[in-house]
Amino acid sequence: MPIQRRPKPTSPDEFIEGANLTESVLQHQIEVLEHQLQQKDEHEQALVGEIEQLRANDLDETERQLLQKQIDELREHLKQNQGSVEYPIAKIHPNPKQTRQTFKEEVEAMERSLQEEGQLDDVMLFDDGTLFDGECRWRAATNLNWKTIRAVFVSRPENDQTLRRRTYLANRHRRDLNALDKAASLVAIVCDEISELKPDEVSRIVNRVLTRLKRRKQKLGDRLHLQPQEQQRAILAQFKLEPVEIQVFLILLGLQEHPATLNRNVFPTLSLNPNLRIAVRERALGCAQALVLNRLTSDNLGLSKQKALQLLNEGIEVTLANNLSEIKAQQWVAEQKKQLVGDATKALSNGVRNQHVDHILVAVQRLDLDKATISTEQRQELKQALKRVLQML
């Protein structure tokens, strides 16, 4: 059996040198790991940047497929770096800056998909459990009484303003993003960046500027929202707008939204009756049909507020039950107005004549403006008085 020699004792200098070497190796390994993590983070940020750049443009079907491919690549990148986890559904909460507020139909479809095929894509969460992507999957899983859902985690933006903007861009090109959700989100983004601006001022500023330009026979140009920001600034400078007006327009243009389109098709939804808003978000009423039904007001119909609201609610039920298009909804509203006028005429013809009105009629019929000498001021007052009477008839 060979004799085992005792190892030579390590001198203090050799020990210190070995310790320094070990520390040096460890430091090198730490630097390598940090470099690898930085590369992974840079790759993740590059993917996010590519996705946001794509979402900031008007996409055709091929580009939509490319966008979805980039999203899938980001999700796969996160899975490879972190791995998926089964995260408790009860600890997940929605994004308070979420653009979409309408989920009903998509959630119902997602429930069927989860039941038949299981969860195909992970939801994306921030570290505190806030959703970045996948709210429909989370809502559907909640309705199905799932306890956990597969998730990956992504870095949270540096502030809420950036989060709201990114969330809007993430939802902008989805076909089910309705005009009401879009309008509310755009107003919030503008107010984030111009803190002194009140929400109801945003749409008024846009409408005011466009009305002024129309009066001057000036136009923004159909593709202004697709131009570089410097060119947008140069064009807006030609119109001599107020500083806050330029700010609002540049923010909207920076989101690839044309102010004229928003003024015509999106911002009008902000004036929807509360019942119509609920019907849009919870019962899948189309925004175009909602805007048609929004004309059923007491002022437009000459009814009390209570009766006008009853007719509005009837219009909601009829539109939903019969799946009326915008044109069909317009026809239904016109029919209701026609019927109200007919009922009013019938009531007048069957009623007792008002003697006071008869006296006024006689006086007006006898008035000969050609022979009478009346001042310009009296003529104007008479026009205004007759106009008010005609509006009430």
Side-chain angles (χ1 to χ4, degrees):
M1 182 176 181
I3 298 174
Q4 293 183 346
R5 298 179 181 274
R6 289 180 62 185
K8 182 180 178 181
T10 304
S11 68
D13 290 339
E14 290 174 333
F15 180 81
I16 292 172
E17 184 180 351
N20 288 340
L21 179 62
T22 302
E23 182 180 353
S24 175
V25 171
L26 287 174
Q27 181 63 36
H28 175 68
Q29 291 175 339
I30 290 172
E31 290 176 357
V32 170
L33 287 172
E34 287 179 342
H35 179 65
Q36 290 175 345
L37 287 173
Q38 182 180 1
Q39 285 183 321
K40 290 179 179 179
D41 185 60
E42 288 175 353
H43 179 58
E44 177 183 329
Q45 293 302 318
L47 285 172
V48 171
E50 290 176 14
I51 290 169
E52 290 192 358
Q53 186 176 0
L54 277 171
R55 282 170 167 161
N57 294 293
D58 292 323
L59 306 182
D60 57 28
E61 190 58 37
T62 302
E63 291 169 328
R64 287 181 188 277
Q65 293 175 5
L66 178 58
L67 173 59
Q68 188 58 50
K69 182 181 178 182
Q70 294 282 16
I71 294 173
D72 293 340
E73 185 179 346
L74 174 59
R75 185 179 287 107
E76 187 62 29
H77 169 78
L78 294 170
K79 287 170 65 176
Q80 289 177 358
N81 287 342
Q82 310 166 357
S84 299
V85 297
E86 288 291 336
Y87 197 79
I89 284 180
K91 292 186 178 181
I92 297 176
H93 43 275
N95 182 351
K97 309 303 180 184
Q98 170 64 273
T99 299
R100 297 177 61 224
Q101 299 297 319
T102 307
F103 293 95
K104 189 176 186 302
E105 286 188 335
E106 189 170 357
V107 169
E108 290 175 352
M110 183 60 68
E111 286 179 26
R112 292 193 296 272
S113 176
L114 291 178
Q115 287 176 317
E116 296 171 5
E117 303 176 26
Q119 184 183 350
L120 301 178
D121 295 316
D122 299 352
V123 298
M124 293 186 189
L125 305 175
F126 298 127
D127 290 339
D128 61 356
T130 300
L131 279 157
F132 173 67
D133 182 74
E135 184 159 346
C136 283
R137 272 161 279 164
W138 168 67
R139 286 174 177 257
T142 301
N143 292 346
L144 295 173
N145 295 317
W146 285 18
K147 300 302 179 186
T148 62
I149 192 169
R150 206 169 62 247
V152 291
F153 290 85
V154 67
S155 301
R156 190 184 187 94
E158 58 272 18
N159 55 55
D160 285 346
Q161 288 81 3
T162 303
L163 175 57
R164 194 196 303 274
R165 188 183 182 92
R166 287 186 179 179
T167 303
Y168 177 79
L169 290 172
N171 285 276
R172 180 178 181 267
H173 289 290
R174 292 182 176 176
R175 293 183 177 89
D176 55 351
L177 180 62
N178 63 52
L180 178 59
D181 290 349
K182 191 172 188 175
S185 185
L186 286 170
V187 167
I189 290 172
V190 173
C191 291
D192 278 344
E193 300 194 28
I194 310 176
S195 57
E196 65 272 16
L197 202 62
K198 296 179 180 179
D200 59 352
E201 292 178 313
V202 176
S203 60
R204 285 209 295 265
I205 286 174
V206 172
N207 185 66
R208 182 175 70 219
V209 171
L210 293 174
T211 301
R212 190 189 312 150
L213 294 180
K214 183 177 180 181
R215 190 166 56 246
R216 297 174 182 172
K217 297 183 179 180
Q218 296 175 314
K219 292 183 179 181
L220 291 175
D222 294 339
R223 299 181 62 81
L224 181 60
H225 60 304
L226 303 177
Q227 304 300 325
Q229 188 179 73
E230 288 306 313
Q231 189 170 345
Q232 292 172 352
R233 287 182 179 276
I235 291 174
L236 292 177
Q238 299 173 6
F239 301 132
K240 299 180 181 179
L241 306 182
E242 298 175 9
V244 69
E245 294 173 342
I246 293 176
Q247 274 186 285
V248 170
F249 270 58
L250 285 175
I251 292 170
L252 297 175
L253 291 168
L255 292 167
Q256 305 295 311
E257 299 291 357
H258 198 295
T261 302
L262 297 177
N263 190 60
R264 182 171 58 252
N265 301 327
V266 176
F267 285 151
T269 60
L270 295 172
S271 64
L272 286 178
N273 178 283
N275 289 14
L276 288 169
R277 292 189 180 209
I278 293 172
V280 168
R281 287 182 167 148
E282 297 182 7
R283 303 181 64 188
L285 177 67
C287 284
Q289 290 87 332
L291 286 170
V292 172
L293 295 175
N294 202 47
R295 302 169 191 165
L296 297 173
T297 64
S298 58
D299 290 339
N300 287 341
L301 301 174
L303 299 175
S304 66
K305 290 184 178 180
Q306 183 178 358
K307 289 185 177 180
L309 184 59
Q310 289 175 351
L311 186 58
L312 173 66
N313 290 334
E314 181 185 345
I316 293 173
E317 297 304 323
V318 169
T319 302
L320 290 172
N322 297 281
N323 194 26
L324 297 185
S325 65
E326 181 182 2
I327 294 177
K328 292 292 184 183
Q330 290 173 344
Q331 292 173 350
W332 186 86
V333 169
E335 185 62 33
Q336 305 313 303
K337 289 183 176 180
K338 182 179 178 181
Q339 185 174 337
L340 286 172
V341 171
D343 291 344
T345 303
K346 185 177 179 180
L348 286 173
S349 62
N350 295 335
V352 179
R353 292 184 66 85
N354 186 302
Q355 292 183 354
H356 179 64
V357 174
D358 281 338
H359 289 311
I360 294 175
L361 283 171
V362 171
V364 171
Q365 290 167 354
R366 290 178 177 176
L367 184 60
D368 189 347
L369 296 179
D370 291 332
K371 296 180 179 180
T373 303
I374 58 176
S375 66
T376 303
E377 182 180 357
Q378 283 180 313
R379 285 179 179 273
Q380 189 63 29
E381 290 176 355
L382 180 59
K383 285 181 181 179
Q384 291 177 351
L386 291 173
K387 185 177 180 180
R388 284 196 298 271
V389 171
L390 289 172
Q391 287 175 341
M392 290 186 291
L393 292 177

